[in-house]
């Protein structure tokens, strides 16, 4: 099913015409309403009249998160305060938070785009959909909530916390869909199993998971343990929130709502454009946002864009899986390491549970990487509480990681349930180097 046939299936030629018109309007809008952008454009000897087509987007300046912090709280706001009806803020722990304001039109577009995502997953008016993203300043909870209501399905605003109660409600109310982080989905499955509730006692059939990078192996794990079809949901607060891109039933990348959020891929070092099919840093320009629009916002997310036709009928380019983040990438002894690489190895080993933590340190001026991972409960009960099988598993995982990462990591196998759990975004990496 497709929610908005006229926009999601618009021909690329007609979409280019639309995007070109909207880009000129957006540049003109921020030029006259946001001093930050007016100064940037004037420094580059640019005016809105220099924007003739969507191809001219490469002339425009980039925006980074620090720009939002430097202009805290409302320096990048384009709409009058009287038209702002919603304010969200990032969950960052350092520096000023990034503040994002929304007009009524913005919230309507957000709901529209989220309804497109949910429809692509197969959600309909007969579904009961549990939203287990955090409600509040984080955009996840309310972003999905409004989309579910706009589509006409029933919302269970579960938020985070109270996982046992949540599991009972999923069973007792016949909840058919859930939106949360993939790590929380696994926590939910673990809690359900500990409560003695089987997946065949649930009516779950659709899961919308995002806010963390996750692998296909993790998708398989979630689908097997919760008995649903798991779909990727991508978004970021600075651009709008959840709804920027979404998987369809083909699951060959995530379709971008490119009539509202224009994507580019650039080299994260040179900032030069990268063609379709090549990995780089994802950049978005908001084409319709009124409250706090952004030009060429560097997301720091690393991925690949594809523009081959999709058999679902949607014409938008698709994002591949996130490879990591250019600012979260770990450089260990000169080697680039992404947590997703470690996770992909862990999830190929049947003895390992999908709960892990990476600890980076510096000993005698040499970087070290320790990978802590839990053994599964059923394997632990079969003798993994003795030295030899744990030693053998640590050795096996060490060798597999070495072949993937090109560096040697120390592996520590932990008992089930000993690593931290999170009901929000999981913290997979502890980098002690920055504390010294």
């Amino acid at each position: 099913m497709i929610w908005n046939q006229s926009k999601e299936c618009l021909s690329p030629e007609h979409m280019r015409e639309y995007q070109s018109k909207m880009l000129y309007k957006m540049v003109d809008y921020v030029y006259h309403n946001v001093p930050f952008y007016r100064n940037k454009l004037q420094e580059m000897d640019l005016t809105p009249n220099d924007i003739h087509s969507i191809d001219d987007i490469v002339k425009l300046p980039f925006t980074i998160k620090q720009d939002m912090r430097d202009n805290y709280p409302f320096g990048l706001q384009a709409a009058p305060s009287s038209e702002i009806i919603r304010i969200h803020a990032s969950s960052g722990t350092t520096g000023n938070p990034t503040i994002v304001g929304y007009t009524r039109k913005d919230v309507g577009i957000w709901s529209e785009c989220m309804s497109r995502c949910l429809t692509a997953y197969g959600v309909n008016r007969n579904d009961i959909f549990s939203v287990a993203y955090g409600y509040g300043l984080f955009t996840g909870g309310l972003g999905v909530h409004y989309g579910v209501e706009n589509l006409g399905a029933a919302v269970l605003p579960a938020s985070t916390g109270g996982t046992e109660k949540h599991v009972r409600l999923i069973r007792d109310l016949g909840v058919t869909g859930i939106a949360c982080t993939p790590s929380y989905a696994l926590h939910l499955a673990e809690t359900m199993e500990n409560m003695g509730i089987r997946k065949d006692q649930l009516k779950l059939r659709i899961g919308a998971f995002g806010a963390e990078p996750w692998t296909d192996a993790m998708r398989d794990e979630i689908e097997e343990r919760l008995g649903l079809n798991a779909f990727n949901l991508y978004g970021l607060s600075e651009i709008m929130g959840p709804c920027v891109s979404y998987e369809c039933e083909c699951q060959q990348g995530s379709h971008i709502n490119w009539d509202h959020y224009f994507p580019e891929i650039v080299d994260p070092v040179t900032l030069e454009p990268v063609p379709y099919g090549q990995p780089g840093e994802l950049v978005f320009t908001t084409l319709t946002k009124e409250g706090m629009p952004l030009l060429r916002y560097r997301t720091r997310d690393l991925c690949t864009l594809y523009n081959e036709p999709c058999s679902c009928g949607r014409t938008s380019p698709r994002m591949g899986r996130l490879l990591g983040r250019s600012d979260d990438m770990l450089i260990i002894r000169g080697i680039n390491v992404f947590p997703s690489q470690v996770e992909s190895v862990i999830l190929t080993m049947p003895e390992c549970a999908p709960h892990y933590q990476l600890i980076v340190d510096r000993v005698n001026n040499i970087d070290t990487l320790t990978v802590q991972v839990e053994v599964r409960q059923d394997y632990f009960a079969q003798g993994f509480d003795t030295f030899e099988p744990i030693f053998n598993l640590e050795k096996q995982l060490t060798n597999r990681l070495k072949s993937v990462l090109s560096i040697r990591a120390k592996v520590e196998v932990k008992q089930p349930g000993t690593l931290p759990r999170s009901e929000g975004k999981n913290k997979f990496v502890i980098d002690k180097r920055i504390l010294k």
Side-chain angles (χ1 to χ4, degrees), residues 174-217:
V175 170
T176 52
I178 185 169
C180 61
T181 62
S183 57
Y184 182 66
L186 289 172
H187 178 54
L188 200 69
E190 186 177 52
T191 302
M192 180 184 81
E193 291 157 3
N194 291 337
M195 294 171 66
I197 295 176
R198 304 184 311 275
K199 64 181 179 182
D200 61 10
Q201 295 178 273
L202 309 179
K203 293 184 179 180
L204 282 175
R205 62 186 188 88
I206 294 169
F209 305 117
E212 296 170 346
W214 56 308
T215 60
D216 284 330

Side-chain angles (χ1 to χ4, degrees), residues 13 48 79 116 148 170 194-195 264 289 304 339:
E13 295 75 21
R116 296 180 189 180
V148 175
I170 289 173
N194 291 337
M195 294 171 66
E264 299 174 82
K289 200 171 184 186
T304 303

Side-chain angles (χ1 to χ4, degrees), residues 357-414:
Q357 196 161 61
L358 279 58
I359 301 175
V360 186
D361 207 344
R362 184 164 288 145
V363 179
N364 296 326
N365 295 318
I366 297 176
D367 290 341
T368 63
L369 171 63
T370 300
V371 177
Q372 297 180 335
V373 60
E374 287 184 16
V375 68
R376 289 186 183 275
Q377 180 64 52
D378 50 348
Y379 280 92
F380 182 75
Q382 295 173 22
F384 265 79
D385 55 344
T386 60
F387 173 78
E388 185 174 355
I390 290 179
F391 173 79
N392 291 336
L393 179 57
E394 289 177 341
K395 182 178 179 181
Q396 186 181 8
L397 185 52
T398 297
N399 292 335
R400 290 197 186 186
L401 288 171
K402 177 69 161 57
S403 67
V404 172
L405 304 179
S406 300
I407 62 169
R408 182 169 293 277
K410 178 184 178 183
V411 174
E412 297 178 354
V413 173
K414 301 291 186 180

Side-chain angles (χ1 to χ4, degrees), residues 283-301:
V283 173
F284 280 110
T285 295
T286 59
L287 296 178
T288 57
K289 200 171 184 186
E290 292 181 334
M292 297 185 76
L294 296 177
L295 301 180
R296 305 191 80 192
Y297 181 73
R298 295 183 58 189
T299 67
R300 304 291 184 176
D301 287 328

Side-chain angles (χ1 to χ4, degrees), residues 74-95:
F74 299 123
L76 294 186
Q77 183 173 300
S81 297
S82 59
E83 295 182 11
I84 299 295
I85 66 164
R86 175 95 66 79
I87 297 172
H88 283 283
S90 73
S91 56
T93 57
T94 59

Side-chain angles (χ1 to χ4, degrees), residues 115-310:
S115 295
R116 296 180 189 180
C117 306
L118 295 162
T119 302
Y121 305 151
V123 180
N124 60 57
R125 294 174 61 89
N126 296 318
D127 281 302
I128 301 175
F129 209 88
S130 175
V131 180
Y133 286 118
Y135 280 68
L137 293 176
F138 175 58
T139 54
L142 287 171
V144 178
H145 183 117
Y146 272 60
V148 175
E149 286 190 341
N150 188 58
L151 185 148
V155 182
L156 177 66
S159 192
T160 57
T163 305
E164 289 191 6
K165 180 180 180 181
H166 189 186
V167 168
R168 286 194 294 271
L169 288 173
I170 289 173
R171 180 195 60 190
D172 297 346
L173 300 181
V175 170
T176 52
I178 185 169
C180 61
T181 62
S183 57
Y184 182 66
L186 289 172
H187 178 54
L188 200 69
E190 186 177 52
T191 302
M192 180 184 81
E193 291 157 3
N194 291 337
M195 294 171 66
I197 295 176
R198 304 184 311 275
K199 64 181 179 182
D200 61 10
Q201 295 178 273
L202 309 179
K203 293 184 179 180
L204 282 175
R205 62 186 188 88
I206 294 169
F209 305 117
E212 296 170 346
W214 56 308
T215 60
D216 284 330
M218 197 168 186
R219 184 207 298 270
D220 294 342
E221 172 94 10
I222 292 170
E223 290 184 336
E224 169 61 27
R225 294 174 72 179
L226 290 179
L228 47 69
N229 292 321
F231 295 90
N232 192 48
L233 173 63
Y234 174 82
L236 59 164
S237 300
E238 296 88 343
I239 297 302
M240 183 63 86
C243 80
V244 174
S245 74
Y246 55 96
E247 285 184 311
C248 65
E249 67 271 18
C250 302
Q251 294 190 318
Q252 295 178 344
S254 296
H255 290 274
I256 297 170
N257 282 307
W258 65 332
D259 53 327
H260 297 290
Y261 322 113
F262 184 80
E264 299 174 82
I265 291 287
V266 301
D267 184 296
V269 178
T270 67
L271 300 185
E272 290 299 315
V274 173
Y276 284 110
Q278 297 296 318
E281 182 179 334
L282 187 59
V283 173
F284 280 110
T285 295
T286 59
L287 296 178
T288 57
K289 200 171 184 186
E290 292 181 334
M292 297 185 76
L294 296 177
L295 301 180
R296 305 191 80 192
Y297 181 73
R298 295 183 58 189
T299 67
R300 304 291 184 176
D301 287 328
L302 300 175
C303 73
T304 303
L305 288 184
Y306 303 94
N307 65 342
E308 295 85 2
C310 183

